[in-house]
Amino acid sequence: MNNLSIEQQINEITNYIKSKVKSVPEIGIILGTGLGNFVSVINQQTVIPYAQIPYLPSTTAPGHYGNLIFGEIEQKSVIVMQGRFHLYEGISPHIATILVRVMKNLGVKLLINTCASGGLNKNFDAGELLLVTDHINLTAVNPLTGENLENFGPRFPVMFDVYDHQFGDLLKTIALENKIKLHSGVYVGISGPCFCTRAESKFYSQIGADVIGMSLVQEVMVAAHSNIRVLAVATITDMALFYSHEHKTNEEMLLISRSMEKSYIELFTKFIAQVKF
């Protein structure tokens, strides 16, 4: 049985990775459902399967490969999670977000977080992208619960404006220049794995959510606590409108996510080329 504290686990994982990789990444990227092939743009790759990293569980969600990849995009050093951990997989919020803590230890200044989502705004459509400008945490858990990790951040971190305005504006400019439709809006996070009921969908819309998903918010809270700047983009893979008469299958949503890889590659490679810290 593992009796180490979460901070001890973070440090052991950090040391293990440093023994394998000598680069100091500036940018961390979490690839959501169906975006695993984004890694084709990473140069000078070093791949570490999650299965080889201490304390990490296996990924079970469809479209999540389970690798940590180091390399360069547009001559900037990156660390990329090719797949993430979800609460609905039975993983604790501390472990589900542990690699964000490791990113901080390794030197990451910016987290680019991506995910699949359901559209709640009737002006959106499946197959479109949304720049997340804020979130509502309805997962009923918080990864910062428990002993505060003082080496990372304060006991009571402020969650106003955790989605970086400067980087968001840059991404919107790049999207406009390249004719990529990019909405802006609020993401509501639920634990899953059930999709929402009609009443829940209506409620989420009424409280100001534009899209809904089962990831993202936990990692963002940990990044904010660790003073990592955040940029987040969600793929709208289905419309979750309460009056809808159909719901796409998981296979159909995965295909929509994969169809957006070209847009993600164009957006993020041009963003990374221009980003300055």
Side-chain angles (χ1 to χ4, degrees):
M1 181 178 291
N2 175 25
N3 293 317
L4 295 180
S5 70
I6 188 67
E7 191 156 14
Q8 288 173 315
Q9 292 179 53
I10 293 165
N11 291 335
E12 283 201 20
I13 294 172
T14 302
N15 291 334
Y16 174 81
I17 290 171
K18 284 182 175 179
S19 73
K20 303 292 183 181
V21 182
K22 302 306 177 186
S23 63
V24 179
E26 293 181 288
I27 299 170
I29 303 173
I30 300 176
L31 297 177
T33 300
L35 296 180
N37 291 329
F38 177 89
V39 301
S40 63
V41 303
I42 303 173
N43 299 313
Q44 301 177 26
Q45 291 189 21
T46 298
V47 180
I48 307 177
Y50 293 163
Q52 295 180 8
I53 300 174
Y55 312 116
L56 292 191
S58 300
T59 54
T60 64
H64 292 257
Y65 291 94
N67 294 308
L68 199 59
I69 301 176
F70 291 80
E72 291 186 353
I73 298 176
E74 295 295 329
Q75 300 181 319
K76 290 188 173 72
S77 183
V78 300
I79 173 175
V80 179
M81 289 175 60
Q82 192 185 29
R84 58 154 48 88
F85 307 109
H86 302 80
L87 299 182
Y88 64 73
E89 295 174 87
I91 298 168
S92 76
H94 296 97
I95 295 299
T97 59
I98 197 168
L99 286 178
V100 178
R101 297 293 196 191
V102 173
M103 287 181 185
K104 176 66 176 181
N105 276 354
L106 294 173
V108 166
K109 300 173 183 175
L110 164 65
L111 175 66
I112 298 175
N113 205 345
T114 69
C115 66
S117 68
L120 295 169
N121 187 319
K122 64 182 180 181
N123 296 314
F124 300 167
D125 203 357
E128 296 177 341
L129 300 178
L130 176 129
L131 173 69
V132 180
T133 56
D134 209 342
H135 74 237
I136 302 168
N137 177 23
L138 292 182
T139 64
V141 294
N142 189 312
L144 305 181
T145 299
E147 181 182 357
N148 184 50
L149 304 184
E150 296 288 342
N151 291 328
F152 288 92
R155 170 77 280 185
F156 302 106
V158 176
M159 287 290 137
F160 279 14
D161 302 320
V162 296
Y163 297 90
D164 195 280
H165 297 292
Q166 178 186 347
F167 292 155
D169 287 344
L170 174 58
L171 195 73
K172 286 190 285 187
T173 298
I174 292 170
L176 187 64
E177 291 173 346
N178 292 277
K179 298 180 174 57
I180 296 173
K181 194 166 188 177
L182 180 65
H183 298 289
S184 296
V186 176
Y187 177 103
V188 61
I190 61 172
S191 61
C194 297
F195 292 117
C196 60
T197 67
R198 292 186 186 277
E200 288 168 341
S201 173
K202 187 175 183 179
F203 169 70
Y204 300 146
S205 298
Q206 289 174 334
I207 63 173
D210 294 293
V211 295
I212 182 173
M214 302 174 188
S215 60
L216 191 111
V217 296
Q218 307 286 325
E219 298 143 345
V220 169
M221 285 188 282
V222 168
H225 180 254
S226 303
N227 197 31
I228 299 174
R229 298 168 74 175
V230 174
L231 179 75
V233 176
T235 304
I236 302 169
T237 58
D238 189 19
M239 294 305 295
L241 301 171
F242 68 91
Y243 51 79
S244 177
H245 295 293
E246 63 177 2
H247 201 297
K248 285 185 169 57
T249 65
N250 190 65
E251 290 74 20
E252 289 172 326
M253 289 187 282
L254 188 57
L255 286 173
I256 288 176
S257 286
R258 286 173 175 160
S259 73
M260 300 306 294
E261 280 185 339
K262 182 179 178 181
S263 294
Y264 272 102
I265 288 171
E266 190 166 13
L267 273 177
F268 288 142
T269 54
K270 291 180 178 179
F271 171 83
I272 291 169
Q274 296 181 46
V275 73
K276 295 178 180 178
F277 298 104

